[in-house]
Amino acid sequence: MEKYVELNSQGNVLRGMMHIPDGISGPVPFVILFHGFQDDRNEINFVHTELSRRLCLAGIGSVRFDFLGSGESDGTFSDITVSKEIQNGIDILDYVLNLDFVDANRVALHGLSLGGCVASMVAGLRKESVCALSLWCPALDLVYNLKNKMLCGMDVSDIDQKGYADVEGLCLSLDFYEDCLKLDPYCIASQYDGPVNLVHGDQDITASPEVSYHLKEIYQERAKLTIVEGAEHRFLSMDYRKARMDSALEFLESRLGESK
């Protein structure tokens, strides 16, 4: 079953889609999917929609919300900061944990790009509530690069003077930049002590594969890293897409498929 859902987070309404497997009598394992920068809950080429539906076929529920200022949720793009998305993520996690049909011991996080950065930090902050972490092309470097006034290869050195940056027609606020100055994603992510699955393309110039190599060093034997040769950030071929999808599904099904 797929159904539209809403959640109040920091006084704003987040809008999303929930997937609940049919014919499940006991508590349902669950995955929370976080989308990336300038995207929405369906993600590039609907890849999160596909992941949710395939998880559902495997008996695993999921929910995909638009972050504040993205998709159909309240706010505009100029309202977003990474810290606000982290709080959105924590509120979504608490929402899922309080659903009476969810197995609270089998809740995983999955994130793509900046959503992967957010997922890793939510997992670090709430490690006792997250049984597994799945990351596609995590963009922790977006935060660190912005400290040097670079955003996805774009020079935003005039953001202080203008009070915003024009990001492909969207207004990125000075608050977003100043918020990134205060964050250390690797430090927060390193607090997570559960299993992790990392997938990255070796040709990714939006989120460097060095991010996933560094996370592998942080998580050590608890993490599996798959580097897909030839793939860039969007995984724009059927073969690349399949490699990324299969890796996440195998990991999530193995971690959530049986009661722990």
Side-chain angles (χ1 to χ4, degrees), residues 92-112:
I92 295 167
L93 177 59
D94 286 337
Y95 166 80
V96 166
L97 291 171
N98 283 295
L99 294 172
D100 57 10
F101 59 86
V102 168
D103 184 343
N105 294 314
R106 291 189 291 165
V107 174
L109 301 183
H110 166 86
L112 170 57

Side-chain angles (χ1 to χ4, degrees), residues 6-260:
E6 292 186 353
L7 165 67
N8 188 285
S9 176
Q10 306 171 82
N12 296 287
V13 176
L14 305 184
R15 298 174 174 87
M17 185 64 65
M18 182 176 291
H19 299 249
I20 306 171
D22 295 323
I24 301 294
S25 57
V28 178
F30 225 79
V31 181
I32 300 168
L33 284 70
F34 295 147
H35 68 78
F37 187 66
Q38 295 176 267
D39 283 306
D40 62 22
R41 62 183 183 255
N42 299 305
E43 257 303 340
I44 288 291
N45 292 348
F46 324 114
V47 69
H48 274 183
T49 306
E50 179 186 350
L51 178 57
S52 288
R53 289 174 175 169
R54 293 185 64 176
L55 286 169
C56 206
L57 290 173
I60 300 170
S62 65
V63 72
R64 307 174 277 115
F65 279 98
D66 294 327
F67 283 126
L68 168 69
S70 298
E72 296 179 329
S73 289
D74 282 358
T76 64
F77 192 77
S78 61
D79 295 323
I80 73 168
T81 67
V82 176
S83 290
K84 287 178 181 177
E85 291 198 354
I86 292 168
Q87 188 57 55
N88 284 166
I90 290 172
D91 291 342
I92 295 167
L93 177 59
D94 286 337
Y95 166 80
V96 166
L97 291 171
N98 283 295
L99 294 172
D100 57 10
F101 59 86
V102 168
D103 184 343
N105 294 314
R106 291 189 291 165
V107 174
L109 301 183
H110 166 86
L112 170 57
S113 192
L114 183 59
C117 175
V118 172
S120 70
M121 295 169 78
V122 172
L125 293 168
R126 292 290 302 275
K127 63 181 182 179
E128 73 285 352
S129 301
V130 178
C131 78
L133 178 62
S134 167
L135 303 175
W136 285 348
C137 309
L140 283 71
D141 54 348
L142 182 150
V143 173
Y144 296 107
N145 290 340
L146 199 52
K147 296 175 190 289
N148 296 318
K149 295 186 176 177
M150 294 297 296
L151 178 68
C152 303
M154 181 175 68
D155 184 350
V156 293
S157 56
D158 60 352
I159 193 169
D160 290 307
Q161 293 74 34
K162 294 171 63 176
Y164 68 93
D166 185 337
V167 182
E168 298 180 348
L170 294 172
C171 177
L172 185 81
S173 70
L174 183 62
D175 286 345
F176 188 101
Y177 163 69
E178 292 178 340
D179 178 63
C180 286
L181 298 180
K182 305 171 188 175
L183 296 175
D184 187 349
Y186 287 125
C187 179
I188 299 172
S190 69
Q191 298 173 43
Y192 182 63
D193 56 7
V196 181
N197 192 62
L198 297 153
V199 185
H200 221 116
D202 70 345
Q203 299 301 307
D204 194 337
I205 60 172
T206 301
S208 171
E210 292 303 319
V211 172
S212 286
Y213 283 118
H214 188 47
L215 287 173
K216 171 62 177 170
E217 291 177 359
I218 290 172
Y219 296 130
Q220 299 183 6
E221 70 279 356
R222 292 180 291 104
K224 176 184 177 182
L225 170 59
T226 300
I227 298 295
V228 180
E229 293 185 6
E232 38 55 77
H233 194 61
R234 291 160 59 93
F235 275 60
L236 294 179
S237 84
M238 293 173 65
D239 288 341
Y240 298 156
R241 181 188 181 106
K242 183 179 186 301
R244 182 163 69 173
M245 183 68 65
D246 287 352
S247 179
L249 285 168
E250 179 182 357
F251 171 73
L252 292 169
E253 289 179 33
S254 70
R255 302 308 307 182
L256 302 178
E258 297 180 359
S259 297
K260 306 297 180 187

